[in-house]
Amino acid sequence: SVLKLARPDCRFLVHLGTVNSHSGKVKASCELPGSKSREGETPINTIDRLLNGPLHAFANALVVEENECRSERSKAKKFGMTTLYVRTVHTAVLDPEKVRPLVASITMRTSSKATSDFPSRDNWDMFVMAQSEDKVAPDTGSESQDLLAGFKFRLCGWLTEEEFDMYRSDRGQKTLQIAIDDIRITPHTLRAAARSLPTSRHGSFETLR
């Protein structure tokens, strides 16, 4: 299940890349936030789990308007075989005034590489999102690099429909990598993102009922 979360300016939330917690470098990957359903989960339960975790800042600020089941065929990277993937896309609108503060936001200047064919990053409003790789979040009290190993970090931003369609293509992935290649995420920012995660679940959010 994936969540297409749109702001009033029609930009929507996108995973721009995966952060290497040791180097701070970002590897481009233009995707909607989402997760595979666990055993016994319905698609709405999967989104609910994300809103109780990495997307908690938006949980009480969105309204799901549409659920759509989509099927697509693509070649699996691991086995090289064409596979049919079925996923549910949950489209939601965001009320920016109700969003919790993003403690791991990234302030960036316009890329010096920007051209008429290369959109500015000014409106991407990037931030780092942390997701625990275990069912129980690691202890975030330590200042050591070791605590970061229990999390997966993603650089997120807000793209237009046109930008999203362009960057998710093979050619667009290379362009996106150029766009974010100068970004280095500091350990301080990664720790802030990890510490922002809820330490426990508080049930389902009513926005998804």
Side-chain angles (χ1 to χ4, degrees), residues 112-198:
S112 59
K113 306 180 184 70
T115 67
S116 58
D117 298 321
F118 189 87
S120 164
R121 301 182 307 198
D122 283 352
N123 296 316
W124 288 11
D125 296 333
M126 291 179 283
F127 63 96
V128 175
M129 185 187 79
Q131 183 170 3
S132 172
E133 296 191 307
D134 302 310
K135 291 186 178 180
V136 178
D139 176 20
T140 57
S142 170
E143 291 291 328
S144 70
Q145 182 77 18
D146 292 342
L147 82 87
L148 301 180
F151 294 90
K152 188 171 186 177
F153 297 94
R154 290 186 175 92
L155 179 67
C156 301
W158 302 85
L159 301 186
T160 63
E161 195 83 48
E162 182 181 4
E163 289 172 335
F164 180 68
D165 288 341
M166 176 178 67
Y167 289 136
R168 66 190 303 223
S169 68
D170 290 340
R171 182 178 179 181
Q173 289 277 295
K174 295 178 182 179
T175 304
L176 177 59
Q177 186 62 59
I178 295 172
I180 62 178
D181 208 42
D182 63 325
I183 297 175
R184 296 294 181 271
I185 309 300
T186 66
H188 174 77
T189 299
L190 296 178
R191 285 194 290 269
R195 291 193 176 112
S196 72
L197 283 175

Side-chain angles (χ1 to χ4, degrees), residues 1-3 15 31-38 41-43 45-50 54-55 86-88 90 131-132 154:
S1 293
V2 296
L3 181 66
H15 288 161
E31 305 170 338
L32 294 175
S35 177
K36 292 182 179 179
S37 294
R38 295 174 179 171
E41 276 189 339
T42 64
N45 291 151
T46 303
I47 296 299
D48 184 56
R49 171 164 52 83
L50 292 174
L55 297 178
V86 179
R87 65 176 182 173
T88 303
H90 304 265
Q131 183 170 3
S132 172
R154 290 186 175 92

Side-chain angles (χ1 to χ4, degrees), residues 18-39:
T18 302
V19 182
N20 183 307
S21 61
H22 295 282
S23 66
K25 295 181 179 180
V26 184
K27 182 179 180 180
S29 63
C30 190
E31 305 170 338
L32 294 175
S35 177
K36 292 182 179 179
S37 294
R38 295 174 179 171
E39 185 176 355

